[in-house]
Amino acid sequence: MAWLSLKIEADEQTAGVLSDALLELGALAADIEDANAETDREQPIFGEPGEPVDSLWQNSIVSGLFAEDADIPAIVAAATEAAHLAGTPRYRVDAVAEQDWVRLTQSQFDPIRISPRLWIIPTWHTPPDPAAINLILDPGLAFGTGSHPTTHLCLLWLAQNIRGGECVLDYGCGSGILAIAALKLGAGRALGVDIDPQAVLASRQNAEQNQAAAEFYLPDEAPKIQADVVVANILANPLKVLAPMLAQAVRPGGRIVLSGVLAPQAEETMAVYRQWFDIDIDGEVEGWVCLAGMKR
């Protein structure tokens, strides 16, 4: 079966309404993207949990996926009316052939080399270096496959700094990848905590797949410990709010590793943590930084 991809030009005032309208009109999926993506006029938009994004892109493309027999002109007319537009916006329709979507998705995820001794391997790939530490991890319900710069930075720090026997706490564990990696790299104990029950479930499944005895908890269920290393790959605002709790979770002389922080947010974030830590920027990838420090 073929599908029809409808793409409508919109501005920041109408994009959201048009997207909602397409879903109401039978779209199997709808999304909004920057019309200037991958050009010099691309407009980055960042948001923090609990804080609304100030605006969408000034020029957007609203996409909807429809069955091949859908009446696209009628759908565009109805969406135009829902958005109270004076005239019909520019749009185009592309045919989307039926494909093996599982294979197509899998083709987008290759093994990721973190360091000479640490790789992230999807289950459908053979490890390029069987002698390395190969973490088996597929994209799933929880964030953290090693492809995002913040996860990569944390994994690289662990690969370079775990010496053996440490107790590691990963707060905001997502997929559990950091706690699992810590154990594989020689940590004596690794715990992960996340507020999302799906993340805790995914982490436990990933640990079992990797034969790693990592422990994962919801915050109220987690044991109260002081770890040798606390890793938190979240975002700048939550990291600032959680600073007293995370500092308490690190033993004196222990280390903290923070990511999910954009380079312009680094100084403000470090200023909060300098109440307890000697902390500095440890690395930067694509505008994201990793902060690492030692507790006084």
Side-chain angles (χ1 to χ4, degrees):
M1 179 178 180
W3 308 91
L4 297 178
S5 173
L6 168 63
K7 296 184 180 294
I8 304 176
E9 295 183 9
D11 58 27
E12 59 185 312
Q13 283 77 38
T14 60
V17 177
L18 285 171
S19 178
D20 291 342
L22 293 185
L23 289 172
E24 290 289 334
L25 292 164
L28 300 173
D31 65 19
I32 304 170
E33 59 184 296
D34 187 355
N36 298 314
E38 300 182 6
T39 73
D40 293 340
R41 294 181 295 163
E42 184 173 6
Q43 179 187 355
I45 293 177
F46 301 104
E48 293 274 12
E51 294 186 2
V53 175
D54 291 338
S55 64
L56 292 172
W57 299 282
Q58 293 177 355
N59 298 297
S60 299
I61 299 293
V62 180
S63 301
L65 185 66
F66 292 89
E68 62 181 336
D69 60 351
D71 186 346
I72 296 298
I75 289 170
V76 173
T80 299
E81 182 178 356
H84 303 292
L85 299 177
T88 302
R90 294 176 57 183
Y91 70 92
R92 76 172 191 266
V93 182
D94 300 314
V96 180
E98 182 65 40
Q99 301 187 56
D100 186 334
W101 298 106
V102 172
R103 287 186 179 274
L104 181 62
T105 300
Q106 290 179 346
S107 70
Q108 300 174 25
F109 295 92
D110 290 325
I112 300 170
R113 182 180 183 269
I114 303 298
S115 75
R117 65 171 180 152
L118 180 63
W119 286 74
I120 311 298
I121 313 293
T123 53
W124 52 87
H125 279 285
T126 300
D129 181 3
I133 297 171
N134 293 298
L135 303 184
I136 308 303
L137 194 74
D138 292 341
L141 292 175
F143 173 81
T145 62
S147 59
H148 193 275
T150 61
T151 312
H152 192 111
L153 285 164
C154 291
L155 287 167
L156 183 60
W157 189 95
L158 291 171
Q160 293 174 341
N161 290 277
I162 293 296
R163 296 290 177 258
E166 296 95 335
C167 175
V168 177
L169 170 63
D170 174 15
Y171 200 91
C173 61
S175 68
I177 187 172
L178 299 181
I180 295 168
L183 281 182
K184 292 289 188 178
L185 290 163
R189 184 185 184 189
L191 303 86
V193 176
D194 204 290
I195 62 173
D196 183 357
Q198 288 291 336
V200 173
L201 175 62
S203 295
R204 289 172 178 167
Q205 292 172 342
N206 288 331
E208 182 177 358
Q209 181 169 252
N210 283 275
Q211 299 180 330
E215 309 163 38
F216 297 100
Y217 305 94
L218 293 169
D220 292 342
E221 301 169 351
K224 305 301 180 184
I225 63 167
Q226 281 199 312
D228 300 299
V229 177
V230 170
V231 185
N233 179 23
I234 314 177
L235 285 170
N237 280 353
L239 286 174
K240 289 184 285 188
V241 172
L242 293 169
M245 184 272 291
L246 293 178
Q248 177 61 34
V250 183
R251 68 164 178 81
R255 290 175 289 179
I256 195 161
V257 184
L258 308 173
S259 198
V261 179
L262 292 164
Q265 301 170 322
E267 285 300 327
E268 184 177 351
T269 305
M270 288 190 294
V272 175
Y273 280 84
R274 283 183 176 134
Q275 299 176 64
W276 308 277
F277 298 91
D278 297 319
I279 189 169
D280 209 339
I281 295 175
D282 185 76
E284 179 174 348
V285 175
E286 297 177 12
W288 297 93
V289 297
C290 176
L291 312 177
M294 181 174 291
K295 189 174 181 181
R296 293 186 291 272

